[in-house]
Amino acid sequence: MILRLRTAGRRGDRTAGALRWTARPALLLLRRAPAVLAPAVLLTALLPAPSAVADGGSGYAFAAHARTVHGATGTADAEPLEPGTVYRSSLPDKGARYYRLELPAAETAYVPVTAVPPADATVSASDGIAVSVENANGTSCDYQGARFGAGLSPRPITAVGRRDAGRALCQDAGTYYVVVERLVTGSKTTTPGSWDLEIAPITEPALARAGATTAPQSWDSASPRPLTGDPHRRTAGAGFSTARTLGEGVWGTDITPGQTLYYAVPVDWGQQLHATVDLGSTSGDAHGYVSAALNLSLYNPVRGYVDDISLGYDGTQKSSSLDPLPPVAYANRYAVSGEENAVRFAGAYYLVVHLTGQTSDTFGQGPYGVTLRVRVDGTPNSGPAYAGSPVPKDVFDAPAVDRGDLVSAAGDDDPAMRALAAAGIGTGTALLLVLGVWTLTARRAQTRVNAQKPTA
């Protein structure tokens, strides 16, 4: 059974510096044990250990350099937010929290807020958060809610407050307020206590010249056949800031109950994204059923909700695809449909996969196999001409797949392979040098041993 849920309401290359080759540490290592170190062991010793991405007990990876900001209980004490900066804050189980935003007249602002409850929290389907942007007179410019849904599993949920430039409401330059509050149903089963927040305000400039003010009326809405073939291993990030890049292809990973995986798919102006998710069968005898066991959500480059699907699970393999989406275009913002409206700019589109914690009670801790089949169709175009730069300036650029991604099929989960692929020819040369030194040193050690042996 496949459930289509609308849980939203209205509305750096980290690998480039992963490997640091220096001759002195290598030689010291060789000098200490030249005769027993094999090349593979030496390489492993020289490579850094994979860095942890999860934060605290929530399992969510907050942006590494996020600033701490304290939400105020009213507008008078609201602390400022700067577009292009990522913040950490917290939200109590009762009462709204306020933040301040200074905006010029011509810029559209998006304020995505990700709420992260503790991993052991109990939540109801209608629990969640609401985010709104208000002007200095208390008028709401926009409101959006996000809820946990039928999976009944504590997971990161994201809602975006917005201020659209050029609209009748909230068109003036000045002070605006971001208001974040809990959506609670009064359920006695909901765990009290505060939730962590990640806030990442973004601004979009006006167009340099006027364009179409209606959404495209015709586009290919047929569902393409999902890609086939053996999946390439691709581990995921644990948050928006650590999302792993996926190009077009078939990608496989593992997931455990309660875990949330983040991937980023570059989609340029004029391109269409299609995504299918498969949840593999369990081993052994499967008995029982979990409603909304696996959730796949799609978010746009400003972390705005686009679409999602949920899979019911009985221990046998399940598969479903996101609804077809139009090609990315600026004019999509004038569409009535929320899905079409959301694909309004190029950039990184996030595929977020969550396996409900309830799966463990029925089918065990796993891990469970997940396959993502990603298609990106269409020829990129130049997109709209903006009158200025968005903040951050590269948010609407479709990020290039780095060199490590291109060779992910050769062993994505092997740190040595990733490091070598990312570092390129220079590292390869260094590796040959180190191996050569190892060979020479080992031979000299063996020569000394032979020289000390008595002759017959």
Side-chain angles (χ1 to χ4, degrees), residues 32 70 155 168 232 237 292 344 351 424:
R32 289 174 182 173
H70 299 287
R155 60 187 175 95
H232 302 313
R344 56 174 62 192
L351 291 172

Side-chain angles (χ1 to χ4, degrees), residues 284-367:
D285 294 332
H287 301 285
Y289 181 79
V290 178
S291 175
L294 187 80
N295 179 270
L296 172 66
S297 298
L298 176 65
Y299 296 89
N300 67 20
V302 299
R303 307 184 184 184
Y305 168 83
V306 180
D307 190 19
D308 74 332
I309 51 175
S310 288
L311 302 178
Y313 190 61
D314 59 4
T316 62
Q317 63 273 18
K318 302 298 177 186
S319 178
S320 186
S321 300
L322 293 172
D323 285 340
L325 297 168
V328 170
Y330 183 91
N332 286 338
R333 67 192 60 211
Y334 303 112
V336 176
S337 165
E339 297 171 10
E340 297 177 24
N341 185 289
V343 288
R344 56 174 62 192
F345 19 54
Y349 280 74
Y350 299 95
L351 291 172
V352 182
V353 184
H354 177 78
L355 183 66
T356 178
Q358 293 185 346
T359 308
S360 63
D361 297 334
T362 305
F363 300 107
Q365 287 293 331

Side-chain angles (χ1 to χ4, degrees), residues 207-214 330-331 334 384-385:
L207 295 181
R209 55 185 179 274
T213 56
T214 58
Y330 183 91
Y334 303 112

Side-chain angles (χ1 to χ4, degrees), residues 158-228:
T158 302
V160 179
R162 197 171 75 209
R163 180 268 201 166
D164 284 293
R167 296 231 174 146
L169 291 176
C170 304
Q171 60 179 330
D172 297 328
T175 300
Y176 291 82
Y177 297 97
V178 180
V179 186
V180 185
E181 55 190 326
R182 291 268 286 268
L183 295 175
V184 291
T185 59
S187 171
K188 296 181 180 180
T189 61
T190 301
T191 303
S194 62
W195 295 346
D196 290 329
L197 300 178
E198 182 172 79
I199 308 172
I202 294 164
T203 56
E204 179 187 24
L207 295 181
R209 55 185 179 274
T213 56
T214 58
Q217 298 300 306
S218 62
W219 49 276
D220 185 3
S221 59
S223 298
R225 180 175 298 177
L227 297 177
T228 59

Side-chain angles (χ1 to χ4, degrees), residues 246-269:
L246 292 183
E248 181 172 292
V250 182
W251 307 94
T253 191
D254 292 328
I255 191 170
T256 56
Q259 188 178 17
T260 305
L261 310 178
Y262 286 77
Y263 292 101
V265 182
V267 185
D268 216 333
W269 299 101

